[in-house]
Amino acid sequence: MRWTNWRFVLFVAVFIVGIALSVPSILGLKTGPKITLGLDLQGGLHMLLGVDTKKAIESKIKSIASSIKYFSEQNDILLEDLKIGDKKIEFTLLDKDDAPKIEEFIQKEPGIVIKKEGLHYTLTLTPKEIESIKAYAIKQAVDTIRNRLDQFGLAEPTVAKQGKDKILVELPGIKTPEQEQRVRKLIAKAAHLQLMAVDEARQARADTMTPEEAAEYGDVILKDRHGRKYLVKEIPILDGSMIKDARVAFDQNNQPVINFTLNSEGARIFGDFTAKNVGKRLAVVLDNVIYSAPVIRERIGGGSGQISGGFTVAEAHDVAIALRSGALLAPVYMEEKRSIGPSLGADSIRQSLIALVSGFVLVVLFMIFYYGIAGIIADIALVANLFLIIGVMALFGATLTLPGMAGIVLTVGMAVDANVIINERIRELLREGVSIKKAIEQGYKNAMSAILDANITTLIAAVVLYAYGTGPIKGFAITMSIGILASMITAIIGTHGIYEALLPKIERSKNLKTWFGIKV
C-alpha cells in the first residue's frame, strides 16, 4: 500500500487538525478555541432602535455657529448677538468691510442659505442638506453603536440599518438584567463632550436666572452631578468630534478618571482659548452635565484634558469606549425589545442536532449499502469534513446560528454528492473494461469539472450572502463557505489519497462488488 502519497498525508494532517480544534467546542472545554453560539442558539437581546434625527440637525447648526465664532475671533471680525434659533443662526456684523471675508468663510460650508438684511445675517440649511444630515445621522449611529459593542467585547453583535430610519441590534449572550441595563446605557449614551466657557460676569446669578433670560445673553444653564448650576456660553469652544483618543486612568486619590486627547485642530483651538482666558473657568460637559469646571491657570498645549466626577471603574470604562467610538449625532430610542431565553436556544440545538445526526446516519448507511468500501471511504471523508468545519469555525471564533446548522447539514449533502459523482464515473469506466488504476485516475478527472462548477457557484452565492446579509444569514453563509472549502480537501483530495494508498490491495482482490458495489 502507498500510504505516503501526498494526498493521503495531507488528508490525515487536516483530519487531525480538525479533531484537535473541534474537541473544545464539542466537549465544552474551558480552554481552547470554541465556536460562539448566535442569538438564536444561546439567547440574548433583540432591539429595534429609532433615531431622533431632529437633534442631529440642531447639533449641526451648533457646530456651524461654533466655527463662525472661532473664525471671527481669529480674524478680529466683530460679531454681535451670535445666536442659535429654530434651525437657524443669526448674527450682526459690526464692520461692513468684514462682510466679504465672513461670507467667503460661510459659503465654504455646504448646504447653507444666507439671508442678509443690512449687516444682519440669518443662516439656514437647505432641504437637501437637512435630508443629508438625517441620513448621515442614521449611518453614523449604526457605525458608532457597532464600534461601541465591539470594544465592549461582545461576540458577533448584529447592528444593521433596517428600513428607512431604524436600527436593528442583536446581542447574543446577554442573559442577566444587569448585563442588559449596562449594554443599553452604552448604546444609548450620546457621549456628547463639549468644552464650554463659563460666563464669569453673570455666574453669580445662575441660581436665580431663568433659561429664557440666559438665552438673551447667549448662555445656557447646566448643572453638575451635585445639582450646582452653572451659566455657560451656549456655543461651545469645541466638541467631542475632535477627540482622538480617550482612556481610563486614576487620579492621585486612586479614583478613575478619563484622559482624552484632541486632534490637531482641536488642540489648536483648545490652546488658543486657554491662552486668552487665563483666570477664567472652563466647563467640561458630557451629555449636558458638567463634570468639572476648573480655573485655567495657564495656556494648555498638547490637546489633552481630563474628565473626573466620581465614576465607578465600569462607568469610566464605558464612557471612554463611547468617547473613542464617537458621539451619536442624534439620540437613539427603543422602539421594540425582546429578550430571547437560552431555553429556546437549547430546544433549537437539540432539534437541529437530531436533524443533523439523522441525516448523517442515513447518508452513511446509504453510501455503504450502495457503494461498498467506496462508500466507507466517502463516509470517512464526510466525518473529516464535519470535524474540519467545526475546527475552522472555532479557530476563527465564528458564530454558529440556527441557519448555520442548516448550512452544515446542506454541506454534508454536497460533500457526499461529490463522492457520488466520482464513484459513478469510476463505475462507468470499470464497466467499460478499463483497469482499476486508470478507472480511478480517469474517474476523478472526469468528475472534477462537474464538482468544481457546483462548488464554485455555491461558494459565490455564499460570499454574496455574507456581504449583503445580516445576523443568521451571515452565519449560514460562513458555514456554507467553510463547508465547501473543507469538502474540496476531504471529499476530493482525501478520498483520492485513500484510493492511491489502497490501490495495490484493490488490484489484488479483483472483487469489485466489495470495493465499488458493482459486478463487471
Side-chain angles (χ1 to χ4, degrees):
M1 290 188 285
R2 303 168 186 170
W3 298 109
T4 55
N5 70 81
W6 71 269
R7 291 186 179 92
F8 183 76
V9 172
L10 176 63
F11 174 70
V12 172
V14 167
F15 202 163
I16 293 172
V17 170
I19 292 174
L21 292 176
S22 56
V23 163
S25 299
I26 294 172
L27 300 182
L29 302 180
K30 291 184 179 179
T31 57
K34 278 185 286 193
I35 290 177
T36 304
L37 298 181
L39 180 70
D40 50 359
L41 294 180
Q42 67 166 319
L45 193 61
H46 168 104
M47 294 185 290
L48 189 63
L49 307 175
V51 182
D52 186 357
T53 52
K54 290 181 182 176
K55 294 293 182 184
I57 297 168
E58 292 176 8
S59 177
K60 179 67 176 180
I61 293 282
K62 189 177 285 188
S63 173
I64 295 171
S66 182
S67 299
I68 292 172
K69 183 173 185 292
Y70 180 73
F71 176 79
S72 63
E73 289 174 352
Q74 291 298 304
N75 292 275
D76 297 324
I77 299 172
L78 299 178
L79 303 182
E80 188 177 60
D81 295 333
L82 175 60
K83 290 181 181 177
I84 300 170
D86 180 23
K87 298 181 182 179
K88 64 183 180 182
I89 301 168
E90 291 183 280
F91 64 86
T92 301
L93 195 62
L94 296 183
D95 186 348
K96 66 179 181 181
D97 292 339
D98 292 327
K101 193 183 291 184
I102 193 75
E103 288 174 13
E104 181 184 0
F105 174 76
I106 293 170
Q107 285 167 353
K108 290 179 181 176
E109 190 74 33
I112 289 185
V113 178
I114 304 174
K115 184 179 177 183
K116 186 177 176 183
E117 294 177 357
L119 292 179
H120 184 78
Y121 288 78
T122 303
L123 312 180
T124 55
L125 298 172
T126 63
K128 183 180 178 183
E129 181 66 13
I130 289 174
E131 290 303 314
S132 175
I133 292 170
K134 288 180 179 178
Y136 180 74
I138 295 168
K139 180 180 180 303
Q140 189 262 0
V142 171
D143 294 339
T144 300
I145 292 172
R146 186 180 294 136
N147 286 339
R148 289 179 183 181
L149 294 176
D150 286 344
Q151 295 189 36
F152 189 73
L154 286 174
E156 299 286 337
T158 296
V159 183
K161 182 182 173 189
Q162 188 166 80
K164 187 178 177 182
D165 56 357
K166 301 289 184 294
I167 298 174
L168 171 70
V169 179
E170 290 186 341
L171 304 172
I174 300 296
K175 296 172 183 173
T176 65
E178 291 76 19
Q179 287 177 321
E180 178 186 329
Q181 185 65 21
R182 189 178 172 191
V183 168
R184 285 177 60 179
K185 283 177 68 176
L186 179 64
I187 290 173
K189 193 170 190 57
H192 190 201
L193 177 69
Q194 299 176 97
L195 300 182
M196 306 174 84
V198 176
D199 188 343
E200 299 288 1
R202 302 178 183 85
Q203 172 58 31
R205 297 168 55 197
D207 289 329
T208 56
M209 191 178 285
T210 65
E212 290 74 19
E213 286 179 290
E216 292 178 5
Y217 300 110
D219 295 338
V220 291
I221 300 172
L222 297 178
K223 294 180 181 178
D224 65 12
R225 301 185 93 187
H226 306 291
R228 187 184 308 164
K229 290 183 178 178
Y230 284 85
L231 198 62
V232 295
K233 294 293 182 184
E234 183 181 17
I235 299 173
I237 301 157
L238 51 82
D239 61 27
S241 64
M242 297 178 184
I243 284 183
K244 188 169 68 177
D245 193 16
R247 302 281 170 186
V248 176
F250 293 88
D251 62 13
Q252 62 274 17
N253 299 317
N254 205 31
Q255 293 298 310
V257 295
I258 301 160
N259 290 334
F260 63 85
T261 309
L262 301 167
N263 61 19
S264 58
E265 184 184 0
R268 179 168 53 81
I269 295 172
F270 191 46
D272 290 347
F273 176 82
T274 53
K276 293 178 181 175
N277 291 275
V278 172
K280 298 180 181 177
R281 280 175 290 181
L282 174 71
V284 180
V285 183
L286 182 64
D287 293 342
N288 288 328
V289 175
I290 293 178
Y291 278 74
S292 59
V295 176
I296 301 169
R297 301 295 181 192
E298 59 184 350
R299 180 184 183 278
I300 303 174
S304 60
Q306 187 179 86
I307 307 173
S308 58
F311 295 110
T312 65
V313 175
E315 282 177 334
H317 179 70
D318 292 350
V319 170
I321 287 175
L323 289 174
R324 279 202 303 273
S325 57
L328 291 172
L329 289 179
V332 295
Y333 54 91
M334 189 75 67
E335 289 225 340
E336 178 188 325
K337 187 201 81 168
R338 282 186 283 127
S339 293
I340 300 174
S343 60
L344 177 62
D347 291 342
S348 301
I349 292 173
R350 186 172 57 255
Q351 291 172 356
S352 299
L353 283 177
I354 291 172
L356 180 60
V357 172
S358 303
F360 183 80
V361 169
L362 288 173
V363 167
V364 166
L365 293 177
F366 170 79
M367 291 298 289
I368 295 173
F369 172 77
Y370 196 70
Y371 290 109
I373 295 177
I376 295 175
I377 292 172
D379 291 339
I380 292 172
L382 207 56
V383 174
N385 193 28
L386 278 177
F387 277 115
L388 200 53
I389 293 173
I390 296 171
V392 172
M393 290 185 71
L395 181 64
F396 291 103
T399 301
L400 180 63
T401 61
L402 199 56
M405 295 187 76
I408 293 177
V409 175
L410 185 58
T411 303
V412 167
M414 290 189 66
V416 81
D417 183 60
N419 281 125
V420 167
I421 296 173
I422 292 167
N423 289 342
E424 288 300 323
R425 297 290 179 272
I426 293 173
R427 288 169 113 182
E428 287 172 4
L429 291 165
L430 290 174
R431 289 194 187 99
E432 293 172 4
V434 177
S435 67
I436 293 174
K437 182 179 179 181
K438 192 170 180 181
I440 291 174
E441 292 299 323
Q442 199 63 36
Y444 273 91
K445 189 176 178 183
N446 293 346
M448 195 57 69
S449 62
I451 296 171
L452 286 178
D453 286 350
N455 282 287
I456 289 173
T457 51
T458 308
L459 187 61
I460 291 171
V463 170
V464 173
L465 276 178
Y466 183 82
Y468 294 100
T470 59
I473 302 299
K474 280 183 181 286
F476 178 77
I478 287 174
T479 51
M480 277 289 293
S481 303
I482 296 173
I484 290 168
L485 296 174
S487 73
M488 301 282 276
I489 296 174
T490 57
I492 301 173
I493 297 175
T495 55
H496 198 169
I498 295 174
Y499 281 125
E500 284 187 356
L502 296 173
L503 186 58
K505 194 171 183 178
I506 300 173
E507 289 177 324
R508 281 197 304 272
S509 76
K510 303 292 183 184
N511 185 355
L512 295 182
K513 182 168 177 60
T514 301
W515 284 98
F516 296 102
I518 60 168
K519 286 184 178 179
V520 180

